[in-house]
Amino acid sequence: MHLAAHFPGVNNTTVWADPRSRSQIDFSSFEQLARTAERGKFDFFFLAEGLRLREHNGRVHDLDVVGRPESLTVLNALAAVTDRLGLAATVNATFNEPYELARRLATLDHLCAGRAAWNVVTSSDAFTGENFRRGGYLDRADRYTRAAEFVAMARELWDSWTPDGTSRPFAHEGPQFTISGEFTVPRSPQGHPVVIQAGDSDEGREFAASAADIIFTRHGTLEAGRTFYADVKARLAAYGREPGSLKIMPGVTVVVGDSDAEAQEKAAGIRRQQVSPQNAILTAEQIWGTDLSAYDPDGPLPEIDPVPDSEITQGRVRHGDPFAIVARWRALAEAKGLSLRQTVIETTTRQSFIGSPRTVAAELTSFVDERAADGFILVPHLTPSGLDDFVDRVVPLLQESGAFRSEYTGSTLRSHLGLPEPVWKG
């Protein structure tokens, strides 16, 4: 089993009202969570990215106002206070250039002795693009085309130094990029930084099968996970890859209690904190695409139809067909007699593992044994102490059963993941 820690930041799963919650920008918060993950022998520490403060109904979203630090800068600092933990940065392939980003990632990989990873994301969001010279020029259909060539170009640059330390000129001419010169950073201890792809769409799955080492995904049930796992692994052969060359790691939450009943009660309390009345309305507005401030979050769902091309929310991806989502919500609310807030609570949670330490350990192991995942990216609800219970109470049981490592056996992230060093293609 592979495990990673996601640093919770500006999202609707973090509970900022909890007195244990601390800053999401002070270095001490990043350091504490990273040290906890390394104490638990996790594979890597994962940072998300945001290139513009999100807005909702013309105002900066309240969870964004404290800021979003740049991922690679934070991870360069964490390289000095960790020894084995992988360090994964989310960096956008739409609003960066291959030479500059490949150089920054290679530098991190040297500073941390081969523990760097790049989570490749794309954007077709013109709102975010306003922060950049080219603006929102990239059509949605072109974003993976650019990303695929971007990743290939980065690998060409990393391969432009021989394993024995000789620099060679590079030259690349393609639809997206035409560059030539000499790369300034020697080949890193693990050959290339590990490449992560976040996405569940068909395009995202195909991109991951062709270019990624890890796919960061979401699925809500064991059966959905097995279906996704089988689909993505089956795509690898077309690219000459073995099933073990791509690790599937869904983002999940974990709530641990002394008993299953206590954990369920604790989880319900967390969800009520995450989905406050205000957040319930805000979430529904993102689906309906219109102002719902006149509606009671503890009352029924709005009877109006959603606005399909609404721009009420800026800087956040709108997932799925709003008419289909509204129909599904109405059916659920009617079947269970749920209010608007209760419906949001039931429909917006990630895959959660809830129970006693033994229950959680057994369910995580079952997902891996049943080929629904190769491991998990844990998304705690607190910054920065949200992993403490899991590391202290669940990890020892996973180690005891042989499902998870007791010690690191290698020094690089590729060694943690069981991935070979890339063959030099200079």
Side-chain angles (χ1 to χ4, degrees):
M1 182 186 302
H2 300 285
L3 295 175
H6 184 286
F7 184 85
V10 286
N11 55 56
N12 61 3
T13 62
T14 306
V15 178
W16 298 108
D18 192 297
R20 295 169 294 175
S21 180
R22 300 214 317 260
S23 171
Q24 68 182 59
I25 200 167
D26 287 350
F27 181 68
S28 61
S29 293
F30 295 102
E31 181 179 11
Q32 181 176 332
L33 192 70
R35 287 186 183 277
T36 301
E38 188 162 70
R39 177 165 59 84
K41 314 302 179 187
F42 278 38
D43 293 68
F44 60 93
F45 176 91
F46 181 83
L47 283 178
E49 180 68 294
L51 295 177
R52 181 165 180 176
L53 298 182
R54 295 169 297 183
E55 294 183 9
H56 183 83
N57 217 6
R59 299 172 59 191
V60 173
H61 186 269
D62 60 353
L63 296 181
D64 270 15
V65 294
V66 291
R68 284 177 169 233
E70 195 275 323
S71 297
L72 280 167
T73 304
V74 174
L75 295 181
N76 281 321
L78 287 178
V81 296
T82 55
D83 295 315
R84 299 291 186 90
L85 184 69
L87 302 171
T90 300
V91 188
N92 198 299
T94 304
F95 299 118
N96 284 282
E97 295 297 321
Y99 182 89
E100 181 215 10
L101 182 53
R103 187 166 178 255
R104 291 162 62 202
L105 287 162
T107 300
L108 172 61
D109 214 22
H110 276 282
L111 289 177
C112 65
R115 296 183 281 132
W118 171 26
N119 178 39
V120 184
V121 295
T122 63
S123 176
S124 59
D125 177 14
F127 173 77
T128 299
E130 290 173 358
N131 278 349
F132 298 88
R133 179 174 61 86
R134 297 188 181 188
Y137 75 99
L138 191 66
D139 289 337
R140 183 175 179 85
D142 294 333
R143 59 184 183 146
Y144 279 118
T145 301
R146 177 182 169 92
E149 189 175 337
F150 197 122
V151 173
M153 181 71 257
R155 286 178 167 145
E156 287 183 43
L157 292 167
W158 294 328
D159 275 342
S160 66
W161 282 70
T162 67
D164 64 4
T166 302
S167 172
R168 296 186 176 186
F170 69 85
H172 174 93
E173 184 172 349
Q176 300 289 328
F177 309 104
T178 299
I179 60 175
S180 62
E182 291 191 4
F183 196 54
T184 62
V185 186
R187 192 172 176 86
S188 75
Q190 62 175 347
H192 299 170
V194 168
V195 172
I196 305 170
Q197 155 66 12
D200 284 343
S201 69
D202 187 71
E203 289 175 314
R205 297 180 193 203
E206 199 65 27
F207 179 50
S210 69
D213 301 303
I214 300 169
I215 183 166
F216 175 33
T217 181
R218 301 182 184 205
H219 47 68
T221 65
L222 177 65
E223 194 55 43
R226 292 182 65 186
T227 300
F228 180 87
Y229 188 100
D231 176 71
V232 173
K233 296 281 186 175
R235 297 173 188 244
L236 294 169
Y239 300 97
R241 303 181 63 187
E242 297 294 325
S245 66
L246 176 64
K247 307 300 180 184
I248 296 176
M249 299 182 67
V252 301
T253 60
V254 174
V255 180
V256 181
D258 290 339
S259 65
D260 290 352
E262 181 188 288
Q264 290 289 346
E265 183 177 348
K266 184 177 176 183
I270 291 169
R271 287 301 293 147
R272 286 193 295 272
Q273 288 180 298
Q274 290 170 328
V275 185
S276 65
Q278 178 190 10
N279 270 347
I281 292 294
L282 184 145
T283 302
E285 286 178 341
Q286 292 168 5
I287 303 299
W288 266 266
T290 191
D291 187 339
L292 300 177
S293 58
Y295 286 82
D296 180 1
D298 294 316
L301 271 63
E303 296 180 355
I304 60 175
D305 289 334
V307 179
D309 298 317
S310 169
E311 295 184 355
I312 191 172
T313 297
Q314 299 275 15
R316 181 193 292 274
V317 177
R318 199 175 181 192
H319 294 285
D321 174 6
F323 290 92
I325 295 172
V326 167
R328 190 163 61 248
W329 280 25
R330 284 174 175 158
L332 177 66
E334 183 177 355
K336 293 190 174 184
L338 303 179
S339 67
L340 172 58
R341 183 184 179 197
Q342 290 168 331
T343 303
V344 173
I345 287 173
E346 286 225 8
T347 56
T348 59
T349 183
R350 289 178 185 268
Q351 166 65 48
S352 294
F353 294 91
I354 302 168
S356 69
R358 290 202 175 276
T359 295
V360 170
E363 289 183 352
L364 291 170
T365 303
S366 175
F367 264 64
V368 175
D369 289 345
E370 294 288 329
R371 298 187 177 182
D374 293 310
F376 308 92
I377 297 177
L378 274 66
V379 185
H381 71 282
L382 285 179
T383 304
S385 60
L387 284 180
D388 291 358
D389 275 356
F390 184 86
V391 168
D392 293 337
R393 305 181 70 184
V394 179
V395 167
L397 297 177
L398 294 171
Q399 293 170 330
E400 181 183 288
S401 70
F404 186 62
R405 68 173 66 89
S406 295
E407 295 292 341
Y408 291 111
T409 57
S411 59
T412 68
L413 179 53
R414 288 188 179 277
S415 67
H416 302 343
L417 295 165
L419 297 172
E421 182 178 320
V423 176
W424 181 63
K425 296 180 179 178

